[in-house]
Amino acid sequence: MLAIFDKNVAKTPEALQGQPGGSVCALKDGFLPNHFSSVYPGAVTINLGSSGFIACSLEKQNPLLPRLFAVVDDMFCVFQGHIENVPFLKQQYGLTKTATEVTIVIEAYRTLRDRGPYSADQVVRDFHGKFAFMLFDCSTKNVFLAGDADGSVPLFWGTDAEGHLVLADDVETVKKGCGKSFAPFPKGCFFTSSGGLRSYEHPLNELKPVPRVDSSGEVCGVTFKVDSEAKKEGVPRVGSVQNWSQQI
């Protein structure tokens, strides 16, 4: 999986940006998309225009943590892993028996976007299993990312030379675009375009960046840890559906 989002669509935390060394313009002349297509020649690719790029391949995957891709009403979603409580979630979101993990994520996001009864952290916390997913809503230009509490599924994120968000489940792909400005996506967290990075396990706490040291002993991006001392206020559910989608 590869996704590149314009910095005006999804701005990464400042601590993850600007690490010196090796980053390139991931979208210039199709650099990173072309690299991904060369490694995964059968990949599905979607050009999002000024918003960015998404690609997904079913090749070279772990059969225990399969990748799924779906598009529903201009919502693009890539899911990898396995959710254990699928029957419960199908009932919760009124889905048919044929619904898969990726369509459950889309419907959960739609419910959240359209001012459903659940908070964003509760939506992700209700997913039990090993998973990581990326969703892009074309109608609101909102990116929604999450990974499980144990980091069971590889997901890396970083910024390229122009400050665009780069996501992939392959570390070498991210390194090609981001140099040292990348890191594993934080465990037990979710990210949205407007709300930024938050912990769904500890939604009332802030996250603090911690420099990440790679195997060669050099600083390479940052990890984010829950700050037990710093609390944050919740987001009130007020305003129109469009406005609420920008507060997710």
Side-chain angles (χ1 to χ4, degrees), residues 202-242:
H202 305 278
L204 297 181
N205 292 85
E206 297 282 0
L207 294 167
K208 60 181 179 181
V210 179
R212 174 175 170 265
V213 179
D214 64 17
S215 57
S216 63
E218 296 185 6
V219 174
C220 181
V222 295
T223 57
F224 290 86
K225 305 292 185 181
V226 172
D227 188 339
S228 60
E229 302 299 323
K231 300 290 184 178
K232 68 194 308 178
E233 295 181 2
V235 178
R237 287 179 173 269
V238 295
S240 66
V241 170
Q242 181 73 12

Side-chain angles (χ1 to χ4, degrees), residues 11-33:
K11 184 178 181 181
T12 57
E14 289 186 9
L16 191 62
Q17 303 173 26
Q19 296 289 332
S23 64
V24 301
C25 300
L27 288 172
K28 186 177 181 180
D29 300 324
F31 173 74
L32 205 54

Side-chain angles (χ1 to χ4, degrees), residues 86 90 94-100:
V86 164
K90 286 180 181 178
L95 295 170
T96 66
K97 292 182 179 180
T98 59
T100 62

Side-chain angles (χ1 to χ4, degrees), residues 1-6 8-10 46-55 69-79 102 105-106 109-110 113 133-146 165 167 191-193:
M1 182 269 281
L2 170 67
I4 306 168
F5 294 108
D6 185 271
N8 294 316
V9 171
I46 300 100
N47 187 333
L48 300 172
S50 61
S51 295
F53 174 89
I54 296 173
F69 174 72
V71 184
V72 179
D73 296 336
D74 288 331
M75 290 177 283
F76 297 82
C77 185
V78 180
F79 176 94
V102 68
V105 169
I106 291 174
Y109 166 79
R110 189 207 303 271
R113 182 195 67 184
F133 65 79
M134 179 283 303
L135 182 148
F136 178 67
D137 183 351
C138 288
S139 66
T140 62
K141 307 298 184 186
N142 193 42
V143 175
F144 186 29
L145 320 169
L165 171 62
L167 301 159
F191 172 89
T192 62
S193 293

